[in-house]
Every structure is written in C-alpha cells, then in structure tokens.
Amino acid sequence: MKPSTKPQPATPDGRAVPTTLNLTASALFEVEAAGEGGQSTGLPRFRMVAYTGGPMRIAGWRYPVIIDLAGLAIPSQARPIRFGHDPLSGIGHTDAIRVDQGQLVATGLVSRDTSAAREVVVSSKNGFPWQASVGASVEEFEFVKETQNVMVNGRQHSGPLNVVRKATLGEISFVDLGADGATSASVAAIANPTSGETVMDDTNHTPPADPPAAPTPAAPPSPPPAPQPVAASASVDEIRAQAVAETERISAIRRICAGRAPRLEAQAIREGWTEQRTELEVLRLARPAAPAVHVPENTVNAAVLEAACMLTAGHANVEASYEPQTLDLASRRYRGGIGLQELLLEAAWANGYTGRNFRDSRAVLRFAFGRGIEAGFSTIDIGGILSNVANKFLLEGFFSVERTWRNICAVRNVSDFKTVTSYRLIGKDQYELVAPGGELKHGTLGNESYTNKADTYGLVLSIDRRDIINDDLGAITTVPRKLGRGSGLKINDVFWTIFMNNAAFFTVGNKNFFSGATTALGIDSLSAAEVMFMDQVDGDGKPIGIMPAILLVPTALSAIGSQLFKSLELRDTTANAKFPVANPHQGKFRVEVSRYLANAVYTGNSSKAWYMLAEPTDLPVIEVAFLNGQESPTIETADADFNVLGVQMRGYHDFGVALQDFRGGVKSKGEV
C-alpha cells in the first residue's frame, strides 16, 4: 500500500483508515478476433478476475481486509490499466467492469504503446501467470471483532478482520506477484483457426503441430502511422528491433544506476522498467527512509493519546482497554513512547495552537486545556485524557492491596453525605393468614435499625514545571499508581479499625462470643461456633434462619483454616486415641484471611481469635457505604492555579464503614 498525502479518515476510537487498497487476484488475456464490422483491431484484449471477494492481507492493516462489492463505486467503465501501479507504465484501459457471483471482473484492451504493455503481452504469450492488483480509495469501513461473524460478498467470514463498506475504484494494475499468492492463473496461447491471431485463455490447450504463418503487416496509414502493438508472431526485423530496444533500455538503466544501487539495477532490468521509472526509483532511494505508513496528524484523537500513554508506561491491561486499531496507530506513531511534552503539544495543536515547540509552556497549557483564544473548537480534552490515564493507573494501585474487606461486608449505595438508616424486619412482620374476604393485615417495620454515613478522603497532587520540562510521563502514571495504593490502604485502615474494635459488639450477652481453652480453631471449636450461630434468634425470640458461610482468620490460622475447609480427613497421631477421621466441616465455610487481624497497631488485634460470619448479602455484620456506588477512587485533572506553573490532579474517595447486625457473626477468642 502506498501512503497517501491527503488526510486519512479515522473512526472515533482512533482507527486509522488507509486511503488506498491494492488487492491482488488472478488475470487472463485474450486477443480480440475482430472489431466493429468484422474488422480486426489487432489490439490484445484481456479479461481478469480483479478481486475474488475474499479477505486479503494488505500492508498498513493489522487484520485482513474484505471489500464489500455492494458498496464499491465504479466511476466509469473505462478505467486505466497500469503496471505495478506506476502512472508512467501504462498498459491499456477497461471497457467493461462488473460484479459477477461475488467477484470483480474486468475486460478491456492493451491500448498503450509502452515497454510495460509489450512485456505484459509477450510474457503472457510465453505462459507467465500475471496477477491483477486493484487500487481503491476507502471511504468507510467496519471492524469485525474476533468473536463476531459477518456475511460479505455472499460468504460468511469470522473476525478479526476489516470490511470496507464504501470505496471507489481507481485503477487496476498487472503485477508479477501480489499479496494473495493462491489466486494465480495459468495462461496458455492457442491459434485461432479462422483469423490466425493468438488467443490467451485460462484453459490449457495443445497448439497445433504446424501453426499458420503470421499475416503480412498492413501498409502504414498516412498521416504518420500510430504506434503498433506487438504482434502475436513477429518478423525477423521486428525481433531485431526489439533486441536493439532492449539493449538500449538495459544500457540506460545501468547508466542511471551507475553502480550505486546494484539491487535496484537488477530489479529494473528483470522487471522491464523504463528510463523514467528507473530515474524516479533512484531519486526515491536517495531520499531519507520514511515510515512504511504515514499517519497524518488529524488521525490522532483522545483514545490514541490515551493508548500511547498506557503503552509507554507499560500498563498490564492495555490490550483489554482499547480497540486493536487504536493500539496499532498509537504504537506506530509513537514508536519510542510518548513524553509529557509531546502529549500536551498534541492536545494544544488539536485545539488551535500554532507553535511548533514547548518553549512557551504557558501557551501550550492554555490551548491544551481549551483556554486558548482560538480554542473554541476544542477537539481534544487533555484534562479528560490525563484523568482517564491517571485513573487506570490509580485503579491498578488500588487493587494491588489486600481486599478481604470486600468479601465480608455488605455494600450500600448512598447519594449524599447524610446519615442513612436501615431497618431490620423482626418476627411480628411475618406474613399473616389471610382471612375469608381477602383483607391483608398491616405490618410495621421493626425497631431494630442500623446507620452508616459516607465521608470523603482525598489528596491533591501537582505536576509542576520541572516534571514538564523533564518530560516525565511518570508524573501521570507512576504517581497515580501510588495514590491508588494509598487509597486502598486507607479503606483497609478505616474498615479494620472499626471491625476489630468490637468488644461491645461480640459479647456473651449477644450470644455471639465464646472463650476458653477449647476455643482454639479446630473441629470441636468450629462445631461449637456453628451451633452458637444457628441458635441465634431475632427480637421476638424466633430463629433468624440464616446459615454461616465464612471463616475469617488471621494469617497465623490460615493453614488450619484451609485444612478444615478442604480436607476430607483429619487424623490425630496421639497413641491409643480413638476418634472418627472424617471432617464434618469439609467445604462448609469459605476461608478469608486478613493480615490486619493480628496487627498490633489496631485495637482488638489477636493472632488466635477467629470469626464465623454469614454471607454479607444475607445478614451483614459490617457495611461499607459508597457515594453514588463508586467503589474505587477518582482522579480529576485541570490546569493549575495562577501561582503554580503546571498541571494539578486531585484524588478522592467517598465511603463510610459501620458495624451492623451482631447476629450475623460469631467470634471465638481462640485462647484462655
């Protein structure tokens, strides 16, 4: 695929669309037997299957490409035919292009008098299997994901692939080897018994033993004769003239290359290049190397810049966060990674900034954040990009710390910072028998209530001028990761401080606490805790009807807890001891381990105490309330205040923790 100089379209998620496609298919030739009125034109005709309608591997596209022929616009039936997409190497033109059974078929005349046209005809006569390459401009395409299927050109295809829904046909070229090596044609020459002219067909025929002699060339017309194409069988003079022309062409190629480009020289001689094409290729070779695919600046959008930041910082989950085309564009445009200055400049340019460097940093920041005079048409929100990138790294840090608290608590969604109250139904609120007549009795909420309240925890971070001048992208990647970890540690600190300060919650009076020498974690003590939990009653003295499900232990009891949960048998090696070996609690209670339970900093810590809890969705002993259901912290980004040259970021988390129903758990002291 040749890079285009005009702006390329792109999808909203950053998918770059190459403006031209070169699709390779099979081609076959035939020489026209007679023209209008039965007169032979002498011009070779060709017929080609220009595109088979299937997927193609094309440079610049990460996944295979299919052109939907239903959306292919054909501007006219007469389209130019070239050699290798070179405008200087014309071959002829088409006179009919149609879609036939899901394939693009073209026919036409070899109407140009060029060395390329002569080579194509003579080589085809010799049986060379030419292929065709279609040049089309892309206007609209659709990406089909890996798990999706799509019906195109009458066939079912599975992703990942790209389907070009709208395109315009440009030119068609003959190439010796294209992207699709499977679609080649065997071309053989036979003699037409009536006209004596050569016919190129895609079927194999054996030529007659004595082919008829070539017809005598007609006298040249007056005024000066038009150039004549190569005849099917040439005279001795014509063969000599061709040999002289070929020798002159090779000499010209060697003179132009002058030994400086031996590979290019050999290719030009082998492929029949003209003087003009050779000169052009030598000039191109002398220019500095450019990327294989040029991506114009207007294809960069917020998603591409975000992906570039994530790739540069090495985020672990970047593949799942962005479309493949967005990642491909970001990795190709910012091969060495994107810096903080480059990120801000890209946003400033998109919003109307005309400077080409970062010298005027204040102006760059104004335009990047949409404050520039000309930035009324702001297209990239740098604040949103910085916030999104920082939030992803903040979440990575937030989820890197212990989260046992999330497995043993109930979660409440609150809409403000006011104290919220919840009520528990007690026995008198059971359904009553409906008397004849169908009248339902009125129930009332019980007087058992529990409260909670969300508060805000946060921190402000500034990316100052030094970070920007140092081009330190870590300011928006590494630091947010640390802030996320800090937020995760904070919610753990608040949660376990409240949970472990439970001397008035787990008590003998509440019938949810027991101690003594027999309370160390084991089969007997676990059985005792289970009985205590299941004997719990509500305010009316009736069973609560909830089953225990969780065994919460400190790190010192993690091994024995796992044994009690997983092992089918527990054996005692004491001599002369008689006991059953089956584990009655195998698979009963999910084990949760927290390092906070035995930490000396927290009131109520113990390395021996353990808890039996109900599922928090059934009957929670503790609850965490999140403002608007936001369970993770948030980072917001903005241009700094006037007295700070840089970017300002603030991270905050709105949550609250409170103990709830004491009947939802049992605590064992685990020691005397």
Side-chain angles (χ1 to χ4, degrees):
M1 182 186 76
K2 298 180 180 179
S4 174
T5 56
K6 65 181 181 180
Q8 293 173 302
T11 60
D13 59 358
R15 289 182 278 172
V17 181
T19 57
T20 59
L21 295 178
N22 295 335
L23 302 181
T24 304
S26 59
L28 63 93
F29 279 87
E30 55 187 25
V31 174
E32 186 183 56
E36 254 182 66
Q39 299 297 321
S40 172
T41 65
L43 295 179
R45 289 191 61 82
F46 62 84
R47 177 183 180 276
M48 62 176 67
V49 179
Y51 173 47
T52 61
M56 296 284 182
R57 285 284 183 181
I58 303 175
W61 296 73
R62 187 172 183 177
Y63 298 103
V65 177
I66 301 178
I67 287 186
D68 186 354
L69 293 176
L72 179 64
I74 302 174
S76 68
Q77 292 296 303
R79 305 307 299 165
I81 301 296
R82 297 170 179 168
F83 181 86
H85 302 285
D86 185 0
L88 301 178
S89 300
I91 292 177
H93 67 278
T94 63
D95 56 14
I97 304 173
R98 69 183 187 278
V99 176
D100 185 9
Q101 296 181 353
Q103 297 181 332
L104 184 66
V105 179
T107 59
L109 296 169
V110 181
S111 55
R112 298 288 298 273
D113 182 24
T114 62
S115 59
R118 289 190 289 272
E119 179 179 349
V120 166
V121 174
V122 173
S123 299
S124 299
K125 174 184 174 182
N126 295 336
F128 185 81
W130 288 108
Q131 294 182 326
S133 182
V134 176
S137 61
V138 178
E139 298 166 13
E140 181 180 318
F141 84 104
E142 169 191 355
F143 178 68
V144 181
K145 296 182 179 179
E146 185 174 2
T147 57
Q148 297 177 334
N149 295 323
V150 65
M151 179 71 73
V152 188
N153 300 330
R155 282 170 281 178
Q156 188 85 4
H157 300 278
S158 300
L161 53 82
N162 299 284
V163 178
V164 176
R165 293 300 187 184
K166 288 185 179 180
T168 301
L169 179 66
E171 47 80 29
I172 304 176
S173 290
F174 286 93
V175 293
D176 55 358
L177 182 63
D180 189 356
T183 56
S184 60
S186 177
V187 181
I190 63 171
N192 189 315
T194 58
S195 66
E197 296 178 338
T198 301
V199 178
M200 302 298 178
D201 202 345
D202 62 346
T203 56
N204 293 321
H205 299 273
T206 302
D210 297 307
T216 303
S222 181
Q228 294 296 321
V230 178
S233 65
S235 66
V236 174
D237 291 339
E238 289 174 333
I239 293 174
R240 287 174 180 166
Q242 290 178 6
V244 171
E246 179 68 7
T247 301
E248 291 176 350
R249 184 184 71 84
I250 293 174
S251 298
I253 289 173
R254 288 175 174 166
R255 184 184 69 254
I256 294 169
C257 294
R260 293 171 296 181
R263 291 185 180 179
L264 182 68
E265 179 181 319
Q267 183 182 5
I269 293 173
R270 181 175 62 254
E271 297 181 1
W273 291 5
T274 62
E275 266 187 78
Q276 294 85 351
R277 182 178 179 185
T278 305
E279 288 177 350
L280 182 61
E281 293 298 334
V282 169
L283 288 174
R284 287 175 178 169
L285 188 64
R287 287 202 296 258
V293 179
H294 173 64
V295 184
E297 285 184 4
N298 66 346
T299 61
V300 173
N301 56 27
V304 173
L305 292 177
E306 281 185 30
C309 292
M310 302 287 281
L311 289 169
T312 302
H315 193 276
N317 201 30
V318 65
E319 293 286 344
S321 302
Y322 300 94
E323 291 288 340
Q325 286 75 16
T326 301
L327 292 174
D328 182 64
L329 179 57
S331 61
R332 284 190 283 111
R333 182 174 177 84
Y334 308 102
R335 293 185 183 276
I338 190 172
L340 185 55
Q341 288 186 11
E342 189 174 12
L343 175 65
L344 294 171
L345 277 171
E346 289 281 12
W349 289 331
N351 295 339
Y353 180 61
T354 57
R356 304 311 299 170
N357 54 54
F358 206 83
R359 291 176 183 172
D360 189 356
S361 55
R362 281 194 179 275
V364 173
L365 288 173
R366 284 202 315 274
F367 278 90
F369 282 91
R371 293 184 178 178
I373 297 175
E374 303 173 37
F377 57 93
S378 175
T379 60
I380 291 182
D381 177 16
I382 190 63
I385 294 174
L386 293 174
S387 295
N388 290 342
V389 172
N391 266 302
K392 287 182 172 64
F393 284 96
L394 177 136
L395 291 177
E396 191 176 64
F398 179 71
F399 289 113
S400 68
V401 302
E402 179 189 305
R403 287 177 55 79
T404 303
W405 62 269
R406 186 61 180 82
N407 300 329
I408 66 172
C409 75
V411 173
R412 173 191 290 268
N413 180 11
V414 296
S415 58
D416 52 38
F417 295 103
K418 298 176 183 177
T419 299
V420 291
T421 303
S422 57
Y423 295 88
R424 171 171 166 74
L425 295 175
I426 57 177
K428 66 178 64 176
D429 294 300
Q430 296 181 45
Y431 282 14
E432 298 287 348
L433 178 66
V434 178
E439 181 181 358
L440 298 177
K441 295 185 178 180
H442 288 278
T444 58
L445 290 176
N447 56 3
E448 296 182 5
S449 61
Y450 309 95
T451 62
N452 203 346
K453 178 178 178 294
D455 291 305
T456 300
Y457 303 85
L459 191 66
V460 174
L461 167 71
S462 292
I463 303 174
D464 61 23
R465 184 171 178 268
R466 289 171 296 182
D467 296 317
I468 297 175
I469 297 302
N470 291 338
D471 208 12
D472 183 13
L473 189 68
I476 61 169
T477 56
T478 304
V479 174
R481 188 187 282 115
K482 292 180 179 178
L483 284 178
R485 176 176 171 79
S487 177
L489 293 173
K490 184 60 181 178
I491 195 170
N492 268 292
D493 180 66
V494 174
F495 181 91
W496 292 110
T497 296
I498 294 175
F499 181 86
M500 293 167 61
N501 189 17
N502 54 36
F505 188 83
F506 292 103
T507 65
V508 174
N510 284 338
K511 297 182 179 180
N512 63 356
F513 175 77
F514 65 110
S515 61
T518 60
T519 60
L521 184 58
I523 289 183
D524 293 338
S525 60
L526 198 60
S527 300
E530 183 181 25
V531 171
M532 179 175 286
F533 185 101
M534 296 177 68
D535 285 346
Q536 288 275 17
V537 295
D538 60 21
D540 291 334
K542 296 180 180 180
I544 58 174
I546 302 295
M547 299 297 293
I550 300 171
L551 180 61
L552 176 64
V553 298
T555 54
L557 300 180
S558 175
I560 183 63
S562 296
Q563 285 180 336
L564 290 169
F565 178 68
K566 297 180 179 179
S567 298
L568 295 173
E569 298 180 359
L570 294 175
R571 295 181 178 273
D572 192 339
T573 58
T574 305
N576 300 321
K578 293 182 179 180
F579 53 87
V581 296
N583 176 15
H585 301 296
Q586 190 268 334
K588 269 189 180 180
F589 311 114
R590 182 179 80 248
V591 179
E592 298 288 347
V593 183
S594 175
R595 67 199 72 184
Y596 285 87
L597 292 174
N599 191 281
V601 173
Y602 297 91
T603 301
N605 69 87
S606 171
S607 62
K608 298 181 179 180
W610 52 274
Y611 302 81
M612 180 179 287
L613 307 174
E615 283 289 356
T617 53
D618 295 332
L619 188 62
V621 296
I622 191 167
E623 178 187 78
V624 180
F626 292 103
L627 183 66
N628 298 324
Q630 182 67 36
E631 293 192 29
S632 57
T634 301
I635 279 188
E636 294 177 347
T637 308
D639 193 2
D641 297 333
F642 182 79
N643 60 339
V644 178
L645 179 57
V647 178
Q648 201 162 254
M649 306 172 74
R650 62 186 181 192
Y652 59 90
H653 200 184
D654 304 308
F655 66 89
V657 182
L659 291 169
Q660 298 293 296
D661 196 327
F662 64 84
R663 302 177 184 87
V666 169
K667 177 181 178 180
S668 170
K669 189 175 181 181
E671 59 184 346
V672 178

